[in-house]
Amino acid sequence: MTAPAIRDDLRQWQQALRAQFPIVTGHPELAYLDSAATAQKPQAVLDAVQTYLTTSNANAARGTYTWANRTTELVERTRERVARFLGDDQPERSAVHFTGGTTEGLRTIARDWLPVFLRDGDEIVVPDADHQANIEPWWETQRLLAREGVRVRVVPMPYQSGSGDYDHRALAERAGPRTRFVATTHVHHVYGGDMNVQRIRRAVGPDAVICLDAAQSVGHLPVSVAELDVDFVVFSGHKALALPGTGAVWARQARGPAFTPGGWSGTPNTVGIASLEAALDWLDAAGVERVERWTVALAARLTEGLRHLDAYEILGCPLSLAADSAVQRRQGIVTLRHRAIDSGDLGFILFSHGFMVRSDNHCQGDAGEKTGSVRVSLHVYNTVEEIDRLLSVLASLQ
């Protein structure tokens, strides 16, 4: 078995960045492999948080003194920063609203925008094998409208058998003139695949609204709303190196009414917003393209090693397992099962060897996997040595 080579210049770049994560360098005996759940924070983000709390902590848009003005400017500046990070080439037409994370952002769209947009007899497409956060809100909308006498048909997103990828041809057959809204995912949180969002647009036509769950892509790979013809992009700050409790909804404001969260706007998570601005600055300086290249290379190394171990099943597209595969679209997420060891037990065994992974059903919808699995999710601070050591431990459990 020959492990895929990783260029020396990319290794040196990664070593310099890894050194900027205190929790990682402070625990060299541990390998954190759970970044799809939450990412660790670089020193620049921690410094930005401390600086804000010790120099400018105040409420936003509620005072005229210096600290309040600085905080108000921070919030508005970070809105612009998010749009720029997402490659928005028409920010004057779009809007950015801060939320507590992806789940809250999706629920805000489902609660405050979608009921106004839909009419009796309309259809919405729901990806029932994706994360629950991108499933339950849309069913809640359907139930809410049903109580008001508005009938909305939920169309299950079709999937390709065995791969977890969307079946875009089947979707084109299911979609019709009443298909008004499509919920979709950019990178699948279990299968690790890029879900080919551009094909969704071709399948459903130019008029349907597409809402993109980008929790596993923003901060991990380049995301350009100028190239993705979607109407909403929702992501969590804590998976993009910022603090927990912050996220954003980017709205194109092109199809349907303008997106405005309902209710009174209370105090924003200003320290979280400060951390998000610093995280996006850090990612831009590091180069998100390189972050993707590094995590994809590690995932390829892991899948290449795993496919030689008969005791394991790797979830997701089987054609993308080989490192030299022409269809390698697996991002920095590799999910596996041992054919004889329960996933929960395997998670405990791996932690006893210093590996922190997730082992359960990963909050997947009812149309997803019925059996638990172990998910290895990577970020820029993970190393080749961690992957090789993990493969060695997994091989010992054959």
Side-chain angles (χ1 to χ4, degrees):
M1 177 178 67
T2 302
I6 298 178
R7 288 172 19 192
D8 287 342
D9 63 327
L10 199 58
R11 283 177 179 256
Q12 294 170 4
W13 164 86
Q14 188 272 340
Q15 289 172 1
L17 295 185
R18 174 182 167 87
Q20 299 177 39
F21 289 83
I23 195 171
V24 173
T25 57
H27 298 277
E29 77 284 3
L30 298 175
Y32 182 76
L33 304 174
D34 197 19
S35 292
T38 194
Q40 300 302 336
K41 322 306 176 193
Q43 188 64 53
V45 170
L46 303 178
D47 289 344
V49 169
Q50 184 173 23
T51 297
Y52 171 74
L53 289 176
T54 57
T55 64
S56 303
N57 182 36
N59 212 326
R62 286 165 171 79
T64 57
Y65 52 91
T66 303
W67 293 358
N69 290 338
R70 286 179 188 167
T71 299
T72 302
E73 291 169 4
L74 165 71
V75 172
E76 295 309 313
R77 187 174 68 238
T78 308
R79 290 190 206 277
E80 297 172 0
R81 188 72 183 87
V82 168
R84 192 163 67 251
F85 189 80
L86 295 179
D88 186 354
D89 59 351
Q90 294 182 305
E92 68 282 356
R93 296 181 56 186
S94 61
V96 172
H97 296 274
F98 293 114
T99 69
T102 303
T103 301
E104 182 184 329
L106 294 170
R107 290 197 70 198
T108 300
I109 296 169
R111 181 187 64 233
D112 297 337
W113 184 87
L114 191 55
V116 179
F117 177 64
L118 295 175
R119 297 291 180 267
D120 189 64
D122 284 346
E123 299 174 350
I124 61 175
V125 178
V126 175
D128 286 334
D130 290 8
H131 196 283
Q132 288 281 4
N134 199 20
I135 301 172
E136 289 300 324
W138 318 122
W139 282 100
E140 289 176 11
T141 299
Q142 191 236 25
R143 291 191 292 268
L144 171 66
L145 290 174
R147 290 197 293 269
E148 299 176 359
V150 178
R151 296 163 299 173
V152 172
R153 178 171 175 255
V154 174
V155 177
M157 175 74 77
Y159 292 83
Q160 297 179 22
S161 177
S163 72
D165 291 334
Y166 296 147
D167 189 333
H168 302 91
R169 292 182 181 178
L171 177 61
E173 295 173 357
R174 294 185 186 184
R178 300 305 300 269
T179 302
R180 300 270 282 156
F181 180 87
V182 181
T184 184
T185 298
H186 199 182
V187 171
H188 200 279
H189 73 294
V190 175
Y191 305 121
D194 182 325
M195 302 301 279
N196 276 323
V197 179
Q198 292 90 337
R199 294 185 184 179
I200 296 288
R201 174 57 67 197
R202 293 198 292 270
V204 301
D207 299 325
V209 169
I210 298 178
C211 177
L212 185 64
D213 176 349
Q216 301 297 346
S217 58
V218 171
H220 298 260
L221 66 151
V223 177
S224 172
V225 295
E227 298 175 6
L228 298 172
D229 189 7
V230 298
D231 300 273
F232 294 100
V233 172
V234 189
F235 70 94
S236 299
H238 72 99
K239 295 182 182 181
L241 310 183
L243 292 186
T246 187
V249 173
W250 174 89
R252 187 180 292 278
Q253 313 286 54
R255 299 175 180 92
F259 171 67
T260 303
W264 177 255
S265 178
T267 300
N269 180 5
T270 53
V271 67
I273 292 170
S275 76
L276 181 59
E277 180 187 41
L280 299 184
D281 287 345
W282 190 93
L283 285 162
D284 265 346
V288 185
E289 302 86 355
R290 280 189 158 191
V291 172
E292 179 189 23
R293 202 182 315 159
W294 180 258
T295 56
V296 167
L298 293 185
R301 192 179 187 94
L302 178 56
T303 52
E304 174 70 13
L306 281 169
R307 75 189 188 106
H308 295 277
L309 302 178
D310 294 338
Y312 296 93
E313 171 194 2
I314 308 175
L315 279 59
C317 177
L319 297 178
S320 69
L321 300 185
D324 59 353
S325 170
V327 295
Q328 175 60 261
R329 294 184 298 104
R330 191 181 298 268
Q331 296 294 324
I333 296 174
V334 180
T335 305
L336 58 109
R337 289 194 192 100
H338 194 288
R339 301 188 191 279
I341 303 175
D342 175 79
S343 63
D345 293 338
L346 182 57
F348 280 116
I349 293 170
L350 291 177
F351 181 65
S352 72
H353 290 273
F355 298 102
M356 293 179 280
V357 297
R358 179 161 174 175
S359 53
D360 57 16
N361 66 358
H362 316 294
C363 300
Q364 198 172 4
D366 291 341
E369 305 290 334
K370 306 303 181 187
T371 306
S373 54
V374 167
R375 184 180 67 187
V376 176
S377 51
L378 308 161
H379 217 304
V380 69
Y381 35 74
N382 293 120
T383 66
V384 172
E385 292 71 24
E386 289 174 342
I387 297 303
D388 290 348
R389 188 161 60 88
L390 175 63
L391 283 169
S392 177
V393 172
L394 292 172
S396 72
L397 302 174
Q398 278 271 77

